[in-house]
Amino acid sequence: MTEKKRLLTGLQSSGALHIGNYFGSIKPFVDMYEGYESFLMVADYHALTSLKDPKLVQECIYNSVKDFVAAGVDPSKAVIFKQSDVQEHTELAWIFDCLVTVPFLELGHAYKDKVAKGLEANAGLFTYPMLMAADILLYDTVIVPVGEDQRQHIEYAREAAAKFNNTYGQTFIEPKEHIVKAVGTIPGTDGKKMSKSYGNTIPLFGTKEEIQKAVMSIVTDSSGQKPENVYAIHKLFRTEAELETLYAENAGKYKNLKDALVEDIENVIGPMREKRNSISNDDVKKILADGAAKAKAVASAKMEDVRQKVGVAI
Ligand code: ATP
Ligand code: MG
């Protein structure tokens, strides 16, 4: 029997997951994870770059795992774990921080975008790509399903692997991103990238009323043929041919188009929301405990090798 290659992705537990997260990363993961030895990480240490309320941090961890399972990830077929349970992530990130330069990190788009959006320019946010490189490289991951906005961070992970390999000898695999081109970067209600930390989301598991409120607040620009931001989200739920007719019939009637979008979202989310309600906090604890043990076994072996290579193991 040939061993399966490893696949890993992570989502920050920095707020309620939104439809950008679903189509950019969770759905691609669900579509392919059974063909690999798959890891799905709750990036709770990454979330500390934006969250400072411990109660909220905890709540978001529980919610993330419930969202993953409700969206179709079977915990018996993927290792679902949280980053903070495997200390090797932060340990390896430090080693990468010592290999890359400040000017290299200054080229990061995500950091600049977040600071421009008013997020605090803390050092964790700045060095985030090296923690993400550690998340991926610790597991000899070959493929990382992510949204378009994370393309550069996978390049950074490859760069970290190459720097380490050149300095200390071959150790890490250079991973490849898996990005669904047709999804691209999904806009939020303000037309900017939909992000948990920007308050511009359509929540994946919100109530119908919450989804309705978010959809109604999508900014519409009447200069073009159709409301671009509504359309960009709508095309995730229907074929372009179907939308062609719908948008032609309702030209200029933005309220009708938004109502149709709410219905289309509801048809996809409704059944998942029901499943989500059946998952308890105890279920989450059990999933994460199992996942931590499995992830730790892989990461600690890799880190032993890294400590030897850099010379701290004496
Ligand atoms: P934060 O604001 O805390 O960075 P986020 O909403 O950007 O949160 P992440 O946890 O950073 O979410 O990203 C999780 C996954 O979702 C990544 O693979 C990312 O590429 C994808 N993703 C996030 N936002 C979008 C979007 N608007 N369109 C497509 N994919 C997205
Ligand atoms: Mg993000």
Side-chain angles (χ1 to χ4, degrees), residues 192-236:
K192 304 271 165 28
K193 175 189 127 44
M194 190 179 290
S195 276
K196 286 181 240 106
S197 58
Y198 293 172
N200 65 353
T201 69
I202 299 175
L204 181 59
F205 289 109
T207 60
K208 187 168 179 190
E209 291 67 38
E210 284 164 344
I211 291 172
Q212 203 152 24
K213 192 163 167 240
V215 169
M216 291 307 156
S217 75
I218 298 173
V219 291
T220 45
D221 174 1
S222 50
S223 63
Q225 289 289 316
K226 52 181 182 278
E228 294 300 335
N229 295 326
V230 180
Y231 188 85
I233 297 170
H234 220 157
K235 74 178 169 51
L236 304 164

Side-chain angles (χ1 to χ4, degrees), residues 126-311:
F126 184 65
T127 57
Y128 169 118
M130 290 303 107
L131 180 54
M132 180 163 160
D135 300 335
I136 297 166
L137 299 177
L138 267 177
Y139 298 88
D140 292 327
T141 304
V142 297
I143 189 144
V144 191
V146 283
E148 181 63 52
D149 64 296
Q150 289 292 329
R151 185 184 291 280
Q152 188 191 32
H153 286 164
I154 310 301
E155 270 170 39
Y156 271 38
R158 283 196 289 272
E159 198 71 31
K163 284 232 173 186
F164 189 99
N165 292 343
N166 286 337
T167 310
Y168 298 111
Q170 182 59 40
T171 307
F172 292 113
I173 293 174
E174 291 188 28
K176 286 203 166 46
E177 65 278 3
H178 171 85
I179 295 172
V180 181
K181 274 252 165 63
V183 170
T185 300
I186 300 164
T189 53
D190 59 356
K192 304 271 165 28
K193 175 189 127 44
M194 190 179 290
S195 276
K196 286 181 240 106
S197 58
Y198 293 172
N200 65 353
T201 69
I202 299 175
L204 181 59
F205 289 109
T207 60
K208 187 168 179 190
E209 291 67 38
E210 284 164 344
I211 291 172
Q212 203 152 24
K213 192 163 167 240
V215 169
M216 291 307 156
S217 75
I218 298 173
V219 291
T220 45
D221 174 1
S222 50
S223 63
Q225 289 289 316
K226 52 181 182 278
E228 294 300 335
N229 295 326
V230 180
Y231 188 85
I233 297 170
H234 220 157
K235 74 178 169 51
L236 304 164
F237 293 89
R238 288 216 212 181
T239 65
E240 306 232 355
E242 285 172 332
L243 290 183
E244 193 79 19
T245 319
L246 181 71
Y247 278 64
E249 282 170 4
N250 292 283
K253 297 177 188 154
Y254 295 167
K255 168 85 170 51
N256 289 2
L257 293 170
K258 285 181 171 178
D259 283 339
L261 175 57
V262 172
E263 282 311 313
D264 288 340
I265 295 177
E266 187 57 25
N267 287 338
V268 173
I269 304 302
M272 292 200 276
R273 195 190 288 126
E274 245 169 69
K275 178 165 181 194
R276 193 182 183 286
N277 289 337
S278 71
I279 307 163
S280 69
N281 283 0
D282 281 347
D283 294 333
V284 171
K285 279 189 179 169
K286 186 172 176 321
I287 290 169
L288 289 180
D290 285 355
K294 288 181 185 146
K296 183 92 188 167
V298 178
S300 63
K302 191 77 186 174
M303 205 55 213
E304 269 302 305
D305 182 31
V306 170
R307 288 191 206 103
Q308 294 282 346
K309 292 228 170 80
V310 303

